[in-house]
Amino acid sequence: MTPQAEKALGAILSSKNYREICPDTARRVFEEALKRHKGLKEADKAARNELHRITGAFMTANEMREASGLAGQYAREPEKAVSEALSLHASTRERSDCMKALYDKVFEKGMPGSIFDYACGLNPLYLASIGVKTVRGCDIQGGCVRILNEWAACAGWDLQAECADVLSYLVPGSYDMALMMKLLPLLEGQRTGSAAKLLESCPAKRILATFPTRTLGGRNVGMEGHYTAFLHDILPHGIRIEDEFTQGTEKCFLLTKEM
Ligand SMILES: C[S@@+](CC[C@H](N)C(=O)[O-])C[C@H]1O[C@@H](n2cnc3c(N)ncnc32)[C@H](O)[C@@H]1O
């Protein structure tokens, strides 16, 4: 990249909303925008729009500050603190009315001992709070990752999150279950073919893949049918759908993988 482009990328990386974002992701998005746009100004705008679409839209810097502050409240009022923190990320806020029902169904054959949560947002807070013994996760939003690790230290949970881009991250070890919640179409939009690749490389026998059935604004535009067809299209050989159900505004698929 030219020195001017490096400077523009640096400005994004020090901005209020993206100062904790995974630097490799910001660079990837910026380099792709530079390929598509002639002028630096247009590329800068396109990169910021893309970063908003893939991460910024789900949680603001102020919400991160609030969620971080709630960790100290956990010891006094655990349930209230967890539910308030979960309401500060759009994805966990959207499932707040049916979180318990969703996981009761997912865990009806027993709670897994270990879970890896891809592009986790704040979802691991819920998993650890209901007693999943070992929880690991990753997200490109380093603010979410920091919050999860702060909470784990306050609550004494075996929960660790890493700031990493799923497109280039290989999960170490193996897990009883992996979660890909509201992730696969978002990932496919970043790189064609990446959703199937993630399923193939996932080191867990059971996978929960979920899809939104409404836009972030709450509109029903036929996403349920569209994403069901999408999953059927990309499902790699050796992975089958064991169960599917809709909970609130989320279409859920429980997948089993031959290992
Ligand atoms: C729709 S939210 C889902 C969050 C969480 N899975 C849930 O359902 O509660 C998408 C999340 O994916 C993260 N994300 C987007 N692209 C990513 C990538 N390439 N690698 C890792 N995380 C990513 C965003 O920062 C955001 O937290």
Side-chain angles (χ1 to χ4, degrees):
M1 280 204 294
T2 63
Q4 290 93 327
E6 287 289 354
K7 198 171 164 205
L9 173 60
I12 293 180
L13 285 168
S14 52
S15 67
K16 186 179 171 200
N17 286 334
Y18 300 120
R19 64 179 165 227
E20 291 182 275
I21 196 172
C22 175
D24 292 348
T25 306
R27 180 169 290 274
R28 164 173 66 80
V29 167
F30 203 90
E31 284 175 347
E32 281 164 10
L34 281 171
K35 280 184 210 150
R36 282 197 313 274
H37 298 272
K38 269 202 171 139
L40 182 57
K41 213 170 156 198
E42 289 77 19
D44 182 63
K45 190 168 175 234
R48 286 174 189 266
N49 285 344
E50 175 66 356
L51 289 174
H52 180 77
R53 188 185 75 82
I54 68 173
T55 185
F58 303 107
M59 197 172 185
T60 64
N62 288 343
E63 286 169 329
M64 284 182 228
R65 192 168 335 108
E66 220 183 302
S68 171
L70 283 164
Q73 204 179 298
Y74 178 80
R76 293 191 304 280
E77 296 174 290
E79 272 184 36
K80 186 165 179 277
V82 171
S83 103
E84 280 181 18
L86 292 173
S87 75
L88 293 165
H89 186 288
S91 301
T92 34
R93 178 164 62 242
E94 281 164 351
R95 74 172 70 89
S96 59
D97 289 345
C98 60
M99 186 84 99
K100 185 175 178 317
L102 190 154
Y103 282 108
D104 281 353
K105 175 91 179 126
V106 172
F107 297 158
E108 73 186 350
K109 289 185 182 161
M111 188 182 280
S114 61
I115 294 186
F116 191 90
D117 194 347
Y118 288 93
C120 57
L122 294 184
N123 190 59
L125 289 183
Y126 185 76
L127 301 171
S129 76
I130 60 167
V132 178
K133 205 167 159 287
T134 300
V135 184
R136 299 289 178 268
C138 71
D139 201 289
I140 53 173
Q141 180 43 268
C144 285
V145 166
R146 173 178 48 75
I147 292 161
L148 294 172
N149 293 330
E150 287 168 358
W151 270 76
C154 281
W157 293 327
D158 180 16
L159 157 62
Q160 285 169 29
E162 230 184 294
C163 183
D165 192 318
V166 163
L167 288 180
S168 53
Y169 180 71
L170 262 191
V171 174
S174 61
Y175 291 84
D176 294 335
M177 184 178 255
L179 309 186
M180 301 178 185
M181 299 179 82
K182 297 185 175 178
L183 172 64
L184 295 177
L186 191 63
L187 208 60
E188 192 71 12
Q190 294 172 52
R191 186 174 295 161
T192 305
S194 58
K197 275 207 177 115
L198 188 70
L199 287 163
E200 278 164 359
S201 68
C202 172
K205 204 173 161 24
R206 302 189 74 220
I207 301 169
L208 170 68
T210 77
F211 300 85
T213 62
R214 297 282 190 279
T215 64
L216 267 182
R219 285 182 308 126
N220 180 357
V221 292
M223 290 158 86
E224 182 162 347
H226 177 75
Y227 288 143
T228 299
F230 165 78
L231 181 68
H232 280 267
D233 263 8
I234 62 145
L235 206 60
H237 182 72
I239 301 185
R240 62 178 174 79
I241 298 172
E242 179 188 306
D243 195 7
E244 61 180 271
F245 57 94
T246 302
Q247 199 60 253
T249 59
E250 202 157 358
K251 174 82 183 181
C252 307
F253 294 88
L254 269 168
L255 311 176
T256 309
K257 187 174 185 183
E258 284 166 16
M259 299 277 285

